[in-house]
Amino acid sequence: MRQRLINTTALQETLPQEGKFKGAKGLSKSALVTGPISLPSLLFDSGISKTDWIEGLKHHSKTLTNLLLNDQIDAFNQYLGSQFGLESAEAKKGLVTIDYRPILQDLLQTAILIEHSTIPPYLTALYSIKDGTNALASQIIRSVAVEEMLHMIMVCNVMNAVNIQPSVNRPQNYPSYPMKLPMNVDFYVGLETFSTNSIATFIAIESPSSPLVKAPKSDKVGVPKALVSKSAAVQETSFWTLENMKGFIMENVHTIGEYYDVLFFYITVFQIIAYYKEHGSLPQSFEELNTGGIFTGDPAKQIRPEQYYGSGGKLHPVEALSGVIAVFQEIKGQGEGADDSIFDVDPSQFEEGAELAHYFRFKEVFHEHFYLGGNYQPFMDENGMMPVTTPPNGKALPVDWNAAYPMKPNPKMADYESNPQLYAQGKAFNQTYKNLLDAIQAAVEGNAKELEKSIMYMYALKEQAIGLMSQPLNAQQNAGPTFEYPIN
């Protein structure tokens, strides 16, 4: 575990006041329960109302997630003791028989699709930049695209850890553009050429959950998702169902980071239930909860750091809850920033500094300036915090917005049917992309050596994409890659 992710002010707001984490003895139930309902009631009590279930889920998911994803293990242990020391769950067996596998398969597969859905747009913008131009912007976009692929592979590690086979290469796992991400967002993600519009969309994709970050001071930084359905019905008779859990996400999740927060809580809930089913009692510490339970997957299917040849970020294998924490910390930190900062990790942990989180990297391109070296005093409050919307005002980052191919937005293979040459090129590109996904799929099925082929396919993709983008499709627009599932 290597970073804290949540604003410390928000973290403190989720913790009980001093004196409330001393255990159940001698304290009333009201002194220990800090949320609308207790955690045991949220998990096991079928008599609570839908309103209480939702409010309890909001509170306990925020509390539990903030504690574990911020490495507050001692406080988490006290939280468990205060909650599970309140009452016995012996007579509350409603959740013990729940089948967690299809629920986690759906939610984790959606996480894979979230990560996958960002890769083609980022690659399209990257490939559309003409050679010899926008070197810094290209480096930034490339670094983010590579890290999104890392995220997708790590979510596959989480699925394999809970003994659920991930899928990245089937037709139903392909994003279809333009599309909305599986959260409560009101913008579309598509395949577009490098432009202020496409970079603005990328900024929106990577938006942080926290509205404030520490104003940057250090200069030690390198220069550089069939989703969750809005129609999910809420069943009144049983709250802990896939439909209800997806419905909660649709109503309360607005960013990728928030999706991972709720997903982490769901995973922990099923681990608690598995522990209770095995031991007949509720866990009292993270050590008890960490291993076993739902983590029954084959360790041989884990992709490990030495098997991943991408640059940027760190790949974490998953064999216990601690591995899930490391994965979600990495994904959230790289996307929206860690430890209240604009960095993807605490820069003090690296002698040569750390990169900015994706959101801030894209803002540097959009505003044509770097963050470091700028003056943020006018935006800072008394605690040195500034809004995440603050634009970078450091050293200039030159961008030539005209040095990109005028690709038609969201092209389809159907656009090329009247041009045999373009059709053949588009088909070849899609097959190469499928080959890349096939290599990842083989790796997460236990043949990690197949991942070596991904480097070759990435080089081929760039060459094929440029071959399409450099050819006119009509009087105003050029062709481009479609990232569609290849049909023979």
Side-chain angles (χ1 to χ4, degrees), residues 418-479:
S418 61
N419 187 323
Q421 180 180 348
L422 284 179
Y423 190 87
Q425 289 180 273
K427 183 177 180 180
F429 177 93
N430 288 337
Q431 185 58 55
T432 301
Y433 188 65
K434 173 69 160 49
N435 293 343
L436 172 64
L437 296 181
D438 288 345
I440 296 174
Q441 184 66 37
V444 301
E445 289 179 359
N447 190 3
K449 194 170 180 62
E450 286 293 301
L451 205 56
E452 296 177 10
K453 298 178 180 178
S454 61
I455 299 176
M456 173 185 66
Y457 294 134
M458 289 296 291
Y459 280 115
L461 281 178
K462 179 180 179 179
E463 181 179 348
Q464 291 171 327
I466 293 175
L468 284 163
M469 293 179 178
S470 60
Q471 297 188 62
L473 180 62
N474 53 48
Q476 290 81 34
Q477 299 169 317
N478 285 14

Side-chain angles (χ1 to χ4, degrees), residues 17 94 99-100 103 157 203 259 346 363 376 410 444 478 481 486:
Q17 298 299 313
D99 186 0
Y100 69 88
I103 295 176
N157 274 353
I203 291 171
Y259 182 88
D346 179 356
K363 281 176 71 70
Y376 299 96
N410 304 306
V444 301
N478 285 14

Side-chain angles (χ1 to χ4, degrees), residues 264-442:
F264 178 76
F265 178 69
Y266 290 159
I267 291 172
T268 307
V269 162
F270 288 123
Q271 181 69 349
I272 290 172
I273 294 167
Y275 182 93
Y276 176 73
K277 184 176 181 180
E278 180 179 353
H279 299 278
S281 61
L282 292 166
Q284 301 296 308
S285 70
F286 178 78
E287 183 179 7
E288 292 179 346
L289 193 62
N290 186 32
T291 59
I294 66 175
F295 296 99
T296 60
D298 182 0
K301 291 186 176 182
Q302 292 293 312
I303 306 299
R304 302 182 185 277
E306 62 271 17
Q307 298 161 335
Y308 181 71
Y309 298 90
S311 60
K314 182 178 180 181
L315 191 148
H316 299 276
V318 180
E319 297 179 22
L321 189 61
S322 57
V324 181
I325 292 174
V327 165
F328 285 15
Q329 284 179 334
E330 187 81 25
I331 292 174
K332 290 191 61 186
Q334 286 186 343
E336 62 184 52
D339 198 21
D340 295 338
S341 79
I342 68 175
F343 296 99
D344 62 3
V345 295
D346 179 356
S348 67
Q349 299 182 41
F350 294 83
E351 293 182 1
E352 298 180 359
E355 288 187 311
L356 305 188
H358 297 176
Y359 174 82
F360 300 99
R361 285 185 234 174
F362 284 137
K363 281 176 71 70
E364 287 184 326
V365 176
F366 185 86
H367 293 284
E368 303 181 35
H369 283 84
F370 291 106
Y371 271 96
L372 298 185
N375 177 22
Y376 299 96
Q377 192 70 35
F379 305 98
M380 295 165 55
D381 62 19
E382 64 277 9
N383 298 314
M385 305 295 288
M386 70 174 187
V388 297
T389 55
T390 302
N393 56 29
K395 182 180 177 181
L397 193 168
V399 177
D400 183 355
W401 297 106
N402 295 317
Y405 294 108
M407 188 194 84
K408 176 184 177 180
N410 304 306
K412 301 294 183 183
M413 286 297 296
D415 298 326
Y416 307 148
E417 289 180 347
S418 61
N419 187 323
Q421 180 180 348
L422 284 179
Y423 190 87
Q425 289 180 273
K427 183 177 180 180
F429 177 93
N430 288 337
Q431 185 58 55
T432 301
Y433 188 65
K434 173 69 160 49
N435 293 343
L436 172 64
L437 296 181
D438 288 345
I440 296 174
Q441 184 66 37

Side-chain angles (χ1 to χ4, degrees), residues 83-362:
Q83 293 297 315
F84 291 156
L86 294 177
E87 53 188 292
S88 170
E90 290 296 329
K92 298 179 178 180
K93 303 179 184 292
L95 276 183
V96 174
T97 58
I98 192 169
D99 186 0
Y100 69 88
R101 290 173 58 82
I103 295 176
L104 288 187
Q105 181 173 22
D106 186 287
L107 296 174
L108 284 166
Q109 193 65 54
T110 296
I112 290 176
L113 194 49
I114 289 174
E115 302 298 343
H116 189 176
S117 66
T118 67
I119 295 171
Y122 294 168
L123 290 180
T124 298
L126 173 63
Y127 296 154
S128 72
I129 297 174
K130 295 180 179 180
D131 284 345
T133 69
N134 293 313
L136 294 176
S138 295
Q139 183 178 347
I140 289 172
I141 300 172
R142 183 185 298 108
S143 69
V144 174
V146 169
E147 288 173 3
E148 296 297 350
M149 195 165 294
L150 171 73
H151 298 173
M152 185 170 69
I153 291 172
M154 286 197 294
V155 176
C156 290
N157 274 353
V158 174
M159 291 190 74
N160 274 325
V162 296
N163 201 22
I164 299 173
Q165 180 63 59
S167 177
V168 299
N169 64 342
R170 295 178 182 175
Q172 60 268 32
N173 304 133
Y174 269 61
S176 180
Y177 302 100
M179 61 174 288
K180 286 187 176 183
L181 295 179
M183 296 165 289
N184 190 16
V185 298
D186 58 0
F187 63 91
Y188 283 87
V189 179
L191 305 176
E192 299 183 42
T193 192
F194 175 71
S195 66
T196 55
N197 186 69
S198 59
I199 298 300
T201 300
F202 300 165
I203 291 171
I205 291 172
E206 305 286 355
S207 294
S209 304
S210 174
L212 296 173
V213 290
K214 294 176 184 175
K217 298 178 182 179
S218 172
D219 59 356
K220 294 181 179 181
V221 61
V223 176
K225 186 144 162 198
L227 303 165
V228 176
S229 171
K230 286 188 176 181
S231 62
V234 176
Q235 299 180 6
E236 299 295 337
T237 56
S238 178
F239 298 124
W240 286 97
T241 64
L242 174 60
E243 290 75 19
N244 282 331
M245 295 162 80
K246 291 168 74 171
F248 178 84
I249 289 172
M250 283 307 306
E251 292 296 324
N252 297 281
V253 169
H254 305 274
T255 69
I256 294 175
E258 289 175 352
Y259 182 88
Y260 279 105
D261 283 347
V262 175
L263 176 55
F264 178 76
F265 178 69
Y266 290 159
I267 291 172
T268 307
V269 162
F270 288 123
Q271 181 69 349
I272 290 172
I273 294 167
Y275 182 93
Y276 176 73
K277 184 176 181 180
E278 180 179 353
H279 299 278
S281 61
L282 292 166
Q284 301 296 308
S285 70
F286 178 78
E287 183 179 7
E288 292 179 346
L289 193 62
N290 186 32
T291 59
I294 66 175
F295 296 99
T296 60
D298 182 0
K301 291 186 176 182
Q302 292 293 312
I303 306 299
R304 302 182 185 277
E306 62 271 17
Q307 298 161 335
Y308 181 71
Y309 298 90
S311 60
K314 182 178 180 181
L315 191 148
H316 299 276
V318 180
E319 297 179 22
L321 189 61
S322 57
V324 181
I325 292 174
V327 165
F328 285 15
Q329 284 179 334
E330 187 81 25
I331 292 174
K332 290 191 61 186
Q334 286 186 343
E336 62 184 52
D339 198 21
D340 295 338
S341 79
I342 68 175
F343 296 99
D344 62 3
V345 295
D346 179 356
S348 67
Q349 299 182 41
F350 294 83
E351 293 182 1
E352 298 180 359
E355 288 187 311
L356 305 188
H358 297 176
Y359 174 82
F360 300 99
R361 285 185 234 174
F362 284 137

Side-chain angles (χ1 to χ4, degrees), residues 34-49:
T34 61
I37 60 173
S38 69
L39 184 58
S41 294
L42 178 69
L43 301 183
F44 295 99
D45 190 352
S46 59
I48 63 175
S49 67

